[in-house]
Amino acid sequence: DLKTILTKAWGDGWHRKFKQFNVHPFAAASIGQVHRAVLKDGTEVAIKIQFPNIKETIDHDVNTLVAILKSTRLLPKELDIDMYARLCAEQLSQETDYLREAENLRRGAAYFTGPRVNVPKVFDAYSSGTILTMSFESGAGLGDLTDLTKAEQNSIAIRLTQLFLSELFDHRFMQTDPNLSNFLIDPKTRDLTLIDFGACCEISDDTFEIYDTLRKAILTLDADVIKTVLVQLGLLPEDLSTATQALVDDIMTTLMSELGSEDGFDFATTRLFDLIDFNQILTFADIVPTRALPADFIFVQRKFFGLLMYFKTLEANIPILPMLRAIGEMDVSAQNNRVSS
């Protein structure tokens, strides 16, 4: 199958373009596998090759998932699950377009030019809609790191938080897949490399306003302010049962108290995850937002919750409040510069 795909893409004798080509993949995911190769000039590359007929399976898989969700009858009747299914199918379809991912990689390389953050280089001559050739980047996936000191755990968590906030508030462009294998750490330099840009989205004005409004509300450290804002944004139903309202109050009060700690938000000691017990699925079904949320908001949330789970595993300590406050300070500084100009 591999030979057939590459011959169709590159023509007969394609192997002569390489000094070395490993036919055994060193990585694989749901829609493709990755091979290591060396170009004639000695450049090491990683070649992502899409599985045949993958696009045809997406709609079937999504429709099956929707049927399962509907059969559980756990989701609110007002929730437009079909709309979210369409968004999911569209996102998955976009991830099968490797030319689009190549452009996302170039954008990422232009945005994330800071020290200790790398993005693979794309080799257009060896790329197509179903084949993506990039510079080979060494490092261990975040999920494979087992020898981190506490300081290194905190450092990685802080850098990932800074990256998330930069994508959201500065660049308005985000890689939204929180899979830990998408983030490589160099074992010597501890540099961070972002390697998968298939799942990316533009941050719309609506989504930006939602997060900026939430950011400002969080800075008040007032649980009542947060709940009011969540209701106004349509992220929290206004009418809740007494038990659900008590749970929401407990979560908000705990969150504001722990965020306000001068020692930073400590994922090792937080009570937040004790309160969020997903075995109480019926309770949490009551607070699922029923308004039609922007597609990019959904995918940003996917990354947000993925990072939270990773930080919990790390038991990291992150100065979240000062980082959120710094965003507002940068906004004011930028406005003053524009006025001066």
Side-chain angles (χ1 to χ4, degrees):
D1 287 343
L2 178 64
K3 181 179 179 181
T4 300
I5 292 170
L6 294 182
T7 299
K8 182 178 179 180
W10 294 336
D12 292 327
W14 59 263
H15 57 281
R16 289 193 288 270
K17 299 178 181 180
F18 298 91
K19 193 179 213 178
Q20 179 182 337
F21 190 103
N22 193 335
V23 297
H24 298 289
F26 71 88
S30 55
I31 66 171
Q33 60 194 37
V34 189
H35 295 259
R36 190 169 181 175
V38 181
L39 300 179
K40 283 292 188 180
D41 64 2
T43 302
E44 287 190 272
V45 294
I47 304 175
K48 184 156 71 168
I49 303 170
Q50 196 171 119
F51 296 139
N53 306 317
I54 198 69
K55 293 182 181 180
E56 287 75 6
T57 69
I58 290 176
D59 288 339
H60 176 269
D61 289 351
V62 172
N63 290 337
T64 300
L65 176 60
V66 170
I68 293 172
L69 288 173
K70 287 183 175 180
S71 70
T72 65
R73 299 182 181 179
L74 292 174
L75 297 173
K77 293 180 180 179
E78 302 84 1
L79 184 68
D80 190 351
I81 186 64
D82 292 313
M83 179 200 74
Y84 289 116
R86 288 194 299 273
L87 296 179
C88 182
E90 289 169 5
Q91 175 68 43
L92 289 168
S93 180
Q94 289 178 1
E95 291 183 36
T96 66
D97 183 356
Y98 286 176
L99 290 178
R100 181 179 179 276
E101 182 174 353
E103 182 56 32
N104 290 340
L105 280 162
R106 282 187 280 269
R107 287 186 67 176
Y111 290 148
F112 309 123
T113 56
R116 305 187 67 190
V117 178
N118 306 307
V119 175
K121 174 187 174 182
V122 176
F123 291 81
D124 292 311
Y126 300 92
S127 298
S128 67
T130 56
I131 299 174
L132 179 59
T133 301
M134 305 161 284
S135 56
F136 178 83
E137 305 294 337
S138 61
L142 293 181
D144 297 325
L145 298 174
T146 58
D147 60 342
L148 296 173
T149 65
K150 187 62 179 177
E152 288 175 325
Q153 290 173 334
N154 291 340
S155 175
I156 288 174
I158 289 171
R159 289 163 65 189
L160 290 175
T161 304
Q162 289 171 331
L163 177 67
F164 178 86
L165 295 175
S166 177
E167 289 176 306
L168 178 58
F169 291 105
D170 297 336
H171 306 305
R172 308 267 301 254
F173 173 77
M174 181 175 289
Q175 187 277 77
T176 61
D177 186 351
N179 189 322
L180 297 181
S181 62
N182 293 338
F183 306 88
L184 302 182
I185 295 290
D186 186 286
K188 294 181 180 179
T189 65
R190 295 302 190 192
D191 286 355
L192 174 67
T193 299
L194 315 175
I195 61 170
D196 191 326
F197 280 74
C200 293
C201 71
E202 305 275 355
I203 305 299
S204 65
D205 290 342
D206 286 347
T207 293
F208 181 87
E209 287 301 320
I210 289 173
Y211 279 106
D212 198 43
T213 301
L214 286 172
R215 179 187 67 82
K216 292 172 182 175
I218 289 171
L219 290 176
T220 69
L221 293 178
D222 188 320
D224 290 331
V225 169
I226 292 288
K227 286 187 293 182
T228 299
V229 167
L230 288 172
V231 171
Q232 290 173 344
L233 292 173
L235 300 177
L236 183 68
E238 191 167 4
D239 298 321
L240 297 173
S241 68
T242 302
T244 304
Q245 185 64 64
L247 174 63
V248 170
D249 289 342
D250 201 2
I251 290 174
M252 293 301 167
T253 301
T254 299
L255 178 60
M256 292 303 100
S257 173
E258 294 180 352
L259 279 175
S261 171
E262 293 183 0
D263 297 325
F265 188 87
D266 194 340
F267 282 83
T269 61
T270 178
R271 287 185 55 242
L272 196 60
F273 295 100
D274 297 330
L275 297 173
I276 304 175
D277 180 5
F278 287 106
N279 291 317
Q280 300 175 332
I281 190 166
L282 291 176
T283 301
F284 283 98
D286 288 343
I287 60 176
V288 172
T290 55
R291 63 160 284 198
L293 296 167
D296 55 313
F297 179 84
I298 299 298
F299 295 117
V300 170
Q301 283 296 99
R302 173 173 69 156
K303 183 167 185 175
F304 174 75
F305 282 113
L307 290 177
L308 281 186
M309 294 301 103
Y310 179 55
F311 296 160
K312 179 179 182 293
T313 301
L314 282 182
E315 297 188 339
N317 186 296
I318 307 175
I320 296 175
L321 208 63
M323 295 171 78
L324 293 178
R325 192 176 292 119
I327 294 170
E329 293 170 353
M330 287 188 291
D331 289 343
V332 171
S333 176
Q335 290 174 2
N336 291 337
N337 289 337
R338 285 196 292 272
V339 171
S340 300
S341 300

